[in-house]
Amino acid sequence: MVVFYFPLLALPLSLPLVLLHPVMPTVAEWGWLLGVGVFTQLGQLALTRGLMTMPAARATALSYVQVPLAALWGLLWFGETLDPDILTAAGLVLGSTLLSLGR
């Protein structure tokens, strides 16, 4: 049941903003929107199942890895540069995540 709370709350909250400036997506954009929706729901199902099978503190510690992964995706997909500050921060996040999972 937890998996359905997000869409049930997100739709009525975002609908007024959509109605202010409605834009009809193209056929290709409908495909992208459908893909985002399906994979978001599958990801939420997997996250919920994962949180049910392992201790929450250990499972949620892995969410910090999103930041370095986002920087990596930016590099690979969008050609963004990784300056020394980003690399240092990513190393600290990954190191602290591994340290917290080691216990």
Side-chain angles (χ1 to χ4, degrees):
M1 191 63 159
V2 172
V3 174
F4 297 107
Y5 287 137
F6 178 74
L8 287 176
L9 187 63
L11 179 65
L13 289 178
S14 62
L15 193 57
L17 297 173
V18 170
L19 293 176
L20 285 174
H21 300 285
V23 175
M24 184 58 69
T26 65
V27 173
E29 291 168 339
W30 275 115
W32 283 106
L33 288 170
L34 180 65
V36 166
V38 167
F39 284 106
T40 298
Q41 192 66 21
L42 290 174
Q44 187 63 50
L45 285 167
L47 177 67
T48 303
R49 186 170 307 245
L51 286 172
M52 289 186 330
T53 58
M54 75 186 311
R58 187 175 184 110
T60 56
L62 293 174
S63 69
Y64 294 115
V65 179
Q66 293 178 73
V67 177
L69 286 178
L72 181 63
W73 281 113
L75 172 73
L76 296 175
W77 285 78
F78 303 112
E80 296 175 352
T81 59
L82 298 179
D83 61 25
D85 291 339
I86 292 174
L87 295 174
T88 302
L92 288 171
V93 168
L94 290 172
S96 61
T97 301
L98 292 172
L99 185 64
S100 71
L101 291 176
R103 293 186 223 177

